[in-house]
Amino acid sequence: MEQDFRKVVGMDQAASAQVKTWRKSILFDVAGIVSDPKMPDFQKKIGIWKYGERIPYPAMDAFNIIENGCMVFSVDIGGHTVLFTVWLMVGEVRIGALVPLVFAQNETLRKKISRALDGQDCPRNDRIGDYYMFDWIWRDKGWSGFDFMLSSISRPIDASVLADHIASMLIHLYLSITHFLIETNNLPVVFNRIAKPGTTVWFIQERGHPEAFKDHADERGWSVTETKDDDTNSRLHTVLVPLGSVPSAGNIRTQDGLTCNIVSVEQKQNAA
């Protein structure tokens, strides 16, 4: 009797492990599709989305995939974090977006986001702390049905179809929401970043201790997008500078005693 019980328990544990592996595998495939490095090129060829080739797309290591069927990633939009989630359960799929209240206070924008997928309001719209949550839910709708999902556990083609469908909807929502936020809030898109309003782009040449300039930039909220060494033992930085800050040439000395000299500054025109 005890041996039979152990056998049954062992089979249950194996089945449970198989389901966990299935969920994680599906979400891993979804993340791989969304994080494809060719995504900007795909969007450029499609040509529907205004900023499709210029907005940031999450890298594979940006996804947090948990074996309970949850996947999460975030994107910085105008200095605020927008969170995207996917929940995968046998017979149910959810895709959520948590938008900071600083954006979601705009009722027109909330309606646009809620109707982003198919023109219908998403099933759930709730305030959660400092965020407003939009939740799209599918239950027993063919591809999200219990029977199809159960089949996808043992049939690779069904699993691929499921992952592809979830990824397609996630990409559409990601593109829609980022574009709505950009256009509603007049956010500049520069160097594959969605920056704060009023952000400008500067070329700053400096020489000296690299950490001195880094500390100087960090203190002012500057974001260095690219650094190149030149032939004069100096470095040329491409820098995103927030509204109200203006770089200037001169000597720099940090609190730690590190020094560098900003040789020249030049603002890039019409960068956004």
Side-chain angles (χ1 to χ4, degrees):
M1 186 70 164
E2 184 179 350
Q3 290 181 346
D4 290 341
F5 177 75
R6 288 179 177 175
K7 185 177 181 180
V8 171
V9 171
M11 291 175 63
D12 288 345
Q13 289 176 342
S16 177
Q18 186 177 5
V19 173
K20 288 181 180 178
T21 300
W22 164 78
R23 284 193 301 236
K24 198 167 185 178
S25 176
I26 294 292
L27 294 176
F28 185 86
D29 288 348
V30 171
I33 295 171
V34 177
S35 65
D36 190 330
K38 297 186 181 70
M39 190 61 68
D41 291 334
F42 294 156
Q43 296 304 324
K44 181 179 180 179
K45 291 176 181 177
I46 294 170
I48 295 176
W49 298 98
K50 181 178 180 180
Y51 302 101
E53 63 178 297
R54 298 169 58 194
I55 62 173
Y57 292 94
M60 189 64 189
D61 60 6
F63 290 84
N64 185 13
I65 300 174
I66 307 171
E67 64 182 13
N68 69 348
C70 179
M71 180 176 76
V72 180
F73 72 94
S74 63
V75 59
D76 185 294
I77 297 182
H80 300 277
T81 299
V82 177
L83 193 70
F84 290 87
T85 65
V86 176
W87 279 95
L88 173 63
M89 294 154 276
V90 179
E92 181 174 312
V93 175
R94 293 177 177 235
I95 296 180
L98 274 77
V99 178
L101 289 179
V102 66
F103 294 138
Q105 291 174 357
N106 185 312
E107 184 177 356
T108 300
L109 176 60
R110 289 204 307 269
K111 287 182 178 179
K112 285 184 177 181
I113 293 176
S114 180
R115 299 171 181 175
L117 191 65
D118 57 7
Q120 302 297 317
D121 287 324
C122 66
R124 183 184 177 193
N125 295 264
D126 289 318
R127 176 175 175 174
I128 300 179
D130 294 329
Y131 289 84
Y132 201 87
M133 182 172 189
F134 302 86
D135 203 11
W136 291 265
I137 305 170
W138 299 269
R139 296 189 183 97
D140 295 324
K141 298 292 185 181
W143 63 273
S144 66
F146 186 88
D147 290 341
F148 183 81
M149 286 198 182
L150 189 62
S151 173
S152 72
I153 295 176
S154 58
R155 284 173 51 85
I157 184 62
D158 289 354
S160 294
V161 168
L162 179 59
D164 184 76
H165 196 65
I166 295 173
S168 295
M169 291 188 298
L170 180 58
I171 291 170
H172 180 83
L173 288 170
Y174 181 78
L175 283 163
S176 297
I177 293 171
T178 52
H179 275 72
F180 291 153
L181 293 175
I182 289 168
E183 293 180 342
T184 301
N185 296 280
N186 296 313
L187 302 175
V189 183
V190 287
F191 299 106
N192 299 113
R193 300 189 185 193
I194 305 172
K196 297 179 181 180
T199 297
T200 53
V201 182
W202 292 74
F203 300 122
I204 301 178
Q205 184 182 19
E206 59 84 22
R207 61 170 60 96
H209 200 290
E211 290 299 317
F213 179 76
K214 181 180 182 302
D215 290 348
H216 183 76
D218 289 344
E219 287 176 0
R220 286 154 180 77
W222 300 353
S223 180
V224 180
T225 64
E226 185 180 35
T227 297
K228 294 181 179 179
D229 295 331
D230 63 20
D231 297 332
T232 62
N233 294 320
S234 63
R235 291 166 291 273
L236 181 63
H237 306 279
T238 303
V239 184
L240 301 185
V241 177
L243 181 67
S245 182
V246 178
S248 60
N251 294 318
I252 295 170
R253 183 180 182 86
T254 70
Q255 294 181 350
D256 296 330
L258 303 177
T259 62
C260 73
N261 175 255
I262 295 181
V263 180
S264 64
V265 297
E266 177 186 355
Q267 184 177 356
K268 180 177 175 59
Q269 301 299 320
N270 301 322

